[in-house]
């Protein structure tokens, strides 16, 4: 059974809790463990926070389009904003070091998700995050070949 959830939310951080609950509940419906649900929720939350902080420069009156599509194979999250386009170097994440207090979100997202891609589209900036479902991984051993 496939499902699609679409939300348009303000860029106010207080609305992130709505997305966190939705992502966690969808994960439960599709059989993810508590740990997997927490990790995916963290990755999506970090991606949304980055949109608010970087694309919208902490302006809370903008819109973010959020979509989650889930089928038997994967959960795919798409975020669309009309803010400042990110620097591709920053999307790749800064080198990790003990002194840096920022720039770790991208590393965290990449460590949790199976795929992460950014694209400038006609509607703005689009970020896609994909997490393959446990059954899909077991059925396709090569599916992890490109994971970082």
């Amino acid at each position: 059974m496939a499902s699609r959830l679409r939300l348009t939310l303000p860029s106010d951080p207080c609305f992130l809790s709505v997305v966190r609950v939705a992502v966690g509940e969808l994960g439960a419906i599709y059989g993810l463990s508590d740990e997997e649900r927490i990790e995916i929720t963290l990755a999506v939350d970090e991606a949304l926070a980055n949109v608010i902080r970087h694309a919208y420069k902490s302006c809370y009156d903008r819109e973010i389009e959020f979509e989650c599509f889930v089928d038997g194979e994967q959960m795919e999250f798409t975020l669309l904003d009309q803010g400042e386009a990110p620097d591709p170097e920053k999307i790749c994440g800064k080198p990790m070091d003990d002194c840096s207090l920022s720039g770790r979100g991208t590393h965290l997202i990449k460590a949790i998700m199976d795929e992460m891609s950014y694209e400038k589209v006609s509607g703005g900036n689009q970020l896609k995050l994909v997490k393959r479902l446990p059954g899909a991984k077991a059925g396709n051993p090569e599916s992890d070949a490109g994971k970082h």
Side-chain angles (χ1 to χ4, degrees):
M1 170 181 81
S3 63
R4 184 178 309 272
L5 172 68
R6 289 185 186 139
L7 298 170
T8 300
L9 59 140
S11 58
D12 188 322
C14 71
F15 287 91
L16 295 179
S17 62
V18 174
V19 175
R20 287 192 294 263
V21 169
V23 170
E25 290 301 314
L26 281 170
I29 290 168
Y30 284 91
L32 295 178
S33 70
D34 288 345
E35 182 180 341
E36 289 169 317
R37 289 180 9 227
I38 289 168
E39 288 177 346
I40 292 169
T41 301
L42 179 62
V44 171
D45 188 67
E46 182 63 34
L48 285 164
N50 281 345
V51 169
I52 294 169
R53 186 173 29 253
H54 300 295
Y56 288 147
K57 306 291 186 209
S58 298
C59 290
Y60 299 162
D61 61 348
R62 307 289 302 273
E63 287 187 346
I64 302 170
E65 293 178 38
F66 171 83
E67 182 175 324
C68 176
F69 176 75
V70 189
D71 59 19
E73 302 275 319
Q74 64 187 23
M75 296 181 83
E76 180 179 287
F77 303 94
T78 304
L79 284 60
L80 182 68
D81 69 79
Q82 291 77 41
E84 184 176 312
D87 178 351
E89 293 291 319
K90 291 183 179 179
I91 292 176
C92 295
K94 299 179 205 168
M96 295 291 281
D97 63 39
D98 292 335
C99 299
S100 176
L101 296 176
S102 65
R104 296 181 178 185
T106 302
H107 289 285
L108 179 104
I109 294 167
K110 286 183 174 185
I112 293 170
M113 303 306 281
D114 294 307
E115 297 174 31
M116 176 179 149
S117 62
Y118 165 77
E119 180 177 14
K120 184 79 174 152
V121 296
S122 61
N125 306 303
Q126 179 177 277
L127 179 67
K128 282 194 179 190
L129 308 174
V130 175
K131 184 69 174 181
R132 285 183 286 284
L133 295 175
K137 288 180 184 174
N140 184 3
E142 286 129 11
S143 64
D144 281 327
K147 187 173 177 179
H148 301 265

